[in-house]
């Protein structure tokens, strides 16, 4: 397992919901195939969208990272994600849907042979 974390939205003193901040997985990944699960115990049964998973790559242009591929993630499902080989290493960001009040992000690395690239 590469990552497993839960986050909960907070509310202000006036009762306004503050959206769950983005998950930033800054440990470089080298595997371009991942299994990703986004779960929420508080989501309504008909909700299907969890948020966006973003591959972030270093371009070597004096800026730390740039957004590469974005994948729309389903809620309460495991999804096999294949990122293109834009660089040898990359980071991940996950931006949860703003209406979710609780979410768990779990990422597993694929360790087999990646023969398609």
């Amino acid at each position: 397992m590469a990552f497993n974390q839960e986050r909960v939205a907070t509310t202000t003193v006036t009762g306004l919901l503050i959206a769950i901040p983005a998950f930033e997985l800054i440990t470089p990944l080298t595997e371009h195939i991942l299994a990703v699960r986004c779960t929420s115990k508080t989501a309504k049964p008909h909700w299907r969208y969890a948020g966006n998973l973003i591959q972030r790559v270093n371009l070597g242009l004096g800026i730390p990272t740039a957004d590469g591929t974005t994948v729309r993630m389903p809620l309460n499902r495991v999804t096999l994600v294949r990122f293109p080989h834009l660089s040898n290493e990359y980071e991940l960001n996950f931006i949860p849907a703003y209406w979710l009040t609780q979410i768990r992000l779990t990422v597993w690395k694929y360790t087999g042979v990646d023969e398609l690239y």
Side-chain angles (χ1 to χ4, degrees):
M1 186 175 315
F3 187 83
N4 184 25
Q5 191 175 90
E6 179 179 355
R7 294 207 177 151
V8 178
T10 56
T11 54
T12 65
V13 240
T14 59
L16 294 175
L17 184 68
I18 298 173
I20 299 170
F23 292 80
E24 295 181 356
L25 291 73
I26 58 172
T27 302
L29 295 170
T30 55
E31 299 79 6
H32 288 81
I33 301 174
L34 305 171
V36 182
R37 179 175 61 200
C38 305
T39 58
S40 177
K41 298 174 189 171
T42 60
K44 295 182 181 178
H46 62 277
W47 290 355
R48 300 287 179 251
Y49 173 66
N52 287 325
L53 186 67
I54 304 166
Q55 177 190 33
R56 307 226 350 122
V57 295
N58 187 341
L59 300 176
L61 300 174
I63 55 174
T65 56
D67 289 355
T69 304
T70 299
V71 178
R72 184 178 165 94
M73 296 303 300
L75 187 59
N76 296 326
R77 300 179 83 172
V78 176
T79 303
L80 192 62
V81 177
R82 181 184 297 255
F83 285 114
H85 287 250
L86 300 175
S87 66
N88 290 332
E89 293 183 342
Y90 64 97
E91 300 171 1
L92 285 179
N93 276 8
F94 175 71
I95 302 171
Y98 70 88
W99 56 83
L100 294 173
T101 58
Q102 178 274 336
I103 194 160
R104 176 173 292 279
L105 175 65
T106 307
V107 178
W108 294 273
K109 297 177 186 178
Y110 174 76
T111 56
V113 178
D114 185 1
E115 296 179 1
L116 295 178
Y117 291 99

